[in-house]
Amino acid sequence: MNPETKNCQNCKKDFQIASEDFVFYEKIKVPPPTFCAECRNQRRMTWRNERSLYKRKCNAPGHTEEIISLYAPEARVVAYDTKYWWGDSWNPLEYGVDYDFTRPFFEQFSGLIQKVPQLALVNMNAVDSEYVNWADGNKNCYLIFGSGFNENLRYSAKIMESKDSQDLLLVGKSEICYECVNCFDSYKLRYSNNCKSCTDSYFLYSCRNCTSCFGCSNLVNKSYCIFNEQYSKEGYQDRLKELLNNEHSNLEELGKKVYNEVYLKSIHRYANIIASVKCTGDNINNSKNCVQCFDVLRDGEDCKFLYSAMELKDTYDSIGPVKTTLCYETIDNNRDSNNLATVTLYDSHDVKYSLNCHNSSNLFGCIGIRGKQYCIFNKEYSKEEYEKLVPRIIEHMNNMPYVDSKKRTHKYGDFFPAEISPFSYNETIAQEYFPLTKEQAVEKGFRWYDAHAKNYQVTTSPTDLPENISKTDDSVLKDVIGCAHEGKCTHQCTTAYKITPSELQFYKSMNIPLPHLCPNCRHYKRLEQRNPMRTWHRQCQCSGAKSSNNVYQNTAAHSHGTEPCPTEFETSYAPDRPEIVYCEQCYQAEVI
């Protein structure tokens, strides 16, 4: 089919459906979407709560203990602790109901969500890591999310196989690191972004295999550099002592200096797309034909509109898919195929509109099913009955669509409406990537969670904290420290925080001053260092001898000579941003 332009029924903007999209929709047998890609992503994210944790009673029979849960106590959800939910003491099929052809599908499914027990916390194989969610195999970790196989980590997200670190975002196989974003295979790295295999360094941007460097960008295989200037070992150590006294105000000023004098004056690769063919988006490795995809760790093929994925094929509009084939509008699917509109499915195939089902097949509108097939609304059918009933339900979903509070219609092929999610907007990752105020969220038809009033009393202002960790003693462990944002941000600010003993020990060992922001606000500050999950069509800013804004002077000859580079590309750097963006060839000529 020819490309087609549609108008998003949510944001009212036009969006394109490409020829290859129609081919995919035909494969999975769904109609083209009525929401644009960005609005579809936002809608999916309202079903993913990673970082909002609560204390509530376990609802399992005979259990009255308090547990940590991703569901607020007021949520109309039955929550079982991890061990009980995965055990054999309850049967999801006991909650099965007949399909009602007089009511919209999503209205009925909303009722099923409120009845079928939910997994209180997704925290598998944890050792001394109680406050951890969407995680597996972590030891001695505290408030880490979407992470696996780490040890001695705090206040971090999207971390794999790392240890003895704190305040990280999207980091892998690293040790003793602090305030790093998108960094891998590093050791003793601090305040750095987009680095690989760097050691004992501060404030690096887009560096590889660097040791003992400070405030540098786009360096490869370098040591003893400060602001991209080469020093001897002794000269480096002397200059570092002059620059760095490890006081809070000193580090704040150095961060601003590096941003203004290094980051903004450096060239920026249009996208981190490595060993890949016909791909657009950012942070894509060893992939082919992946369009508008972000954080594809490796081996994606013929995919579109992905976030955080690996080893998959023919998958569209998904968050966190691993080893999937022919899946659409999914969250957290692993080793699955031919699934539509599902949340947290492992080792399953031919599943539609289901939550938290595993090792199953041929399910429609199910919750918590394990090791079963041919089920609808948690009721088991014969193969013949199932195959006869499902087409009738699909037809009914189209003839009697769900209409939400903003008059948006949801038919077969659409993901679950945001308003039937068990989470409010600001409890989910939607708030991280599409931040809204309460007023904006309510106006758009999203629910909002108003946190309970805290009964603690702030005992210390962040401005009263010692400038240097050497002047901080164990008495700070008793303090309730006010967050510098004072709840006046859209960062899920907790307004106050405490320092834990292991955290204080980490600061002392790293000679790092105490933070002035609560963990949530620090997390959002790291998120701001990442580009958005969308792209703009732009032209390379290399004008021949220098950048088009005359800020960066080229150091090598380029293939286009002294004329402006004609290369155009899709980049996650918006046109109004201040960064100098080069195409792959021009960037490689300067950096490698």
Side-chain angles (χ1 to χ4, degrees), residues 155-159 165-172 174-184 186-195 198 201-204 506 510 512 522-523 525-527 529-530:
Y155 312 123
S156 300
K158 310 293 190 295
I159 314 300
S165 301
Q166 184 176 308
D167 288 276
L168 309 177
L169 175 63
L170 199 67
V171 170
S174 297
E175 293 186 34
I176 316 180
C177 292
Y178 179 67
E179 283 292 1
C180 292
V181 176
N182 199 30
C183 294
F184 298 88
S186 295
Y187 178 78
K188 279 195 174 181
L189 186 62
R190 312 154 180 92
Y191 311 104
S192 296
N193 188 338
N194 197 31
C195 294
C198 292
S201 298
Y202 300 78
F203 295 107
L204 301 189
F506 176 82
M510 293 283 281
I512 294 171
R522 302 202 301 266
H523 173 69
K525 191 174 179 181
R526 289 189 291 277
L527 281 171
Q529 297 180 48
R530 304 205 70 210

Side-chain angles (χ1 to χ4, degrees), residues 29 36 38 42 75 89 102 112 147 161 164 177 200 313 433 445 494-495 500 526 555 557:
K29 295 180 172 56
C36 69
E38 191 165 292
Q42 184 182 30
S89 298
T102 68
L112 197 66
S147 302
E161 300 176 295
D164 302 321
C177 292
D200 199 20
K313 186 177 181 180
Y433 295 95
T494 58
T495 69
T500 68
R526 289 189 291 277
T555 60

Side-chain angles (χ1 to χ4, degrees), residues 104-389:
F105 168 84
F106 290 116
E107 179 184 309
Q108 297 178 66
F109 192 81
S110 179
L112 197 66
I113 291 174
Q114 297 171 31
K115 291 193 292 186
V116 181
Q118 305 287 341
L119 187 59
L121 199 67
V122 186
N123 185 16
M124 310 301 296
N125 304 308
V127 177
D128 296 326
S129 302
E130 187 179 13
Y131 292 85
V132 170
N133 191 28
W134 295 106
D136 188 6
N138 295 291
K139 181 179 180 180
N140 297 328
C141 292
Y142 180 66
L143 291 179
I144 70 169
F145 307 96
S147 302
F149 312 103
N150 304 290
E151 186 174 352
N152 299 329
L153 252 65
R154 290 166 297 278
Y155 312 123
S156 300
K158 310 293 190 295
I159 314 300
M160 295 296 292
E161 300 176 295
S162 297
K163 60 189 300 185
D164 302 321
S165 301
Q166 184 176 308
D167 288 276
L168 309 177
L169 175 63
L170 199 67
V171 170
K173 295 185 178 180
S174 297
E175 293 186 34
I176 316 180
C177 292
Y178 179 67
E179 283 292 1
C180 292
V181 176
N182 199 30
C183 294
F184 298 88
D185 304 310
S186 295
Y187 178 78
K188 279 195 174 181
L189 186 62
R190 312 154 180 92
Y191 311 104
S192 296
N193 188 338
N194 197 31
C195 294
K196 185 174 182 180
S197 303
C198 292
T199 301
D200 199 20
S201 298
Y202 300 78
F203 295 107
L204 301 189
Y205 171 73
S206 198
C207 292
R208 297 200 307 276
N209 301 313
C210 290
T211 301
S212 299
C213 291
F214 182 97
C216 296
S217 68
N218 295 323
L219 294 187
V220 180
N221 300 324
K222 295 290 185 180
S223 298
Y224 308 121
C225 292
I226 296 179
F227 299 135
N228 281 44
E229 181 180 346
Q230 184 67 61
Y231 285 78
S232 66
K233 180 178 179 180
E234 294 76 15
Y236 172 85
Q237 293 172 342
D238 291 342
R239 178 66 177 133
L240 192 63
K241 289 178 182 178
E242 294 175 6
L243 283 169
L244 186 66
N245 63 24
N246 288 303
E247 292 186 349
H248 186 272
S249 57
N250 168 246
L251 289 166
E252 289 278 297
E253 288 302 313
L254 285 171
K256 294 175 184 177
K257 179 181 176 67
V258 170
Y259 178 77
N260 291 315
E261 298 184 17
V262 178
Y263 178 84
L264 290 183
K265 293 181 180 180
S266 300
I267 58 171
H268 298 258
R269 193 181 203 162
Y270 82 103
N272 290 313
I273 299 178
I274 311 298
S276 299
V277 178
K278 295 183 179 179
C279 293
T280 62
D282 206 3
N283 295 318
I284 301 173
N285 292 279
N286 195 39
S287 296
K288 178 182 179 182
N289 297 331
C290 289
V291 178
Q292 293 294 297
C293 294
F294 300 84
D295 299 337
V296 179
L297 187 61
R298 63 177 180 268
D299 303 329
E301 184 175 351
D302 298 329
C303 297
K304 209 165 188 177
F305 310 124
L306 301 182
Y307 166 57
S308 188
M310 60 182 279
E311 298 180 30
L312 70 170
K313 186 177 181 180
D314 283 328
T315 295
Y316 273 41
D317 288 271
S318 294
I319 298 171
V322 176
K323 297 182 179 179
T324 64
T325 303
L326 205 62
C327 290
Y328 177 53
E329 285 276 22
T330 67
I331 303 173
D332 189 31
N333 277 37
N334 290 284
R335 302 174 298 277
D336 294 338
S337 63
N338 199 32
N339 289 348
L340 164 66
T342 60
V343 180
T344 311
L345 260 71
Y346 303 154
D347 302 296
S348 299
H349 63 87
D350 295 286
V351 178
K352 312 290 188 282
Y353 292 102
S354 298
L355 309 181
N356 218 358
C357 296
H358 310 286
N359 194 30
S360 297
S361 65
N362 297 287
L363 308 180
F364 200 109
C366 291
I367 300 175
I369 298 294
R370 292 163 287 167
K372 299 293 183 181
Q373 58 182 344
Y374 303 118
C375 298
I376 300 172
F377 278 178
N378 283 40
K379 183 177 179 180
E380 204 165 12
Y381 294 84
S382 69
K383 181 178 184 293
E384 293 74 21
E385 290 172 326
Y386 180 88
E387 292 178 345
K388 184 178 179 180
L389 185 54

Side-chain angles (χ1 to χ4, degrees), residues 51 431 435 485 489-494 518 520-522 524-525 528:
R51 304 182 65 259
Q431 179 66 4
H485 284 179
C489 59
T490 58
H491 300 165
Q492 297 173 291
C493 180
T494 58
C518 72
N520 277 359
C521 290
R522 302 202 301 266
Y524 275 81
K525 191 174 179 181
E528 291 169 358

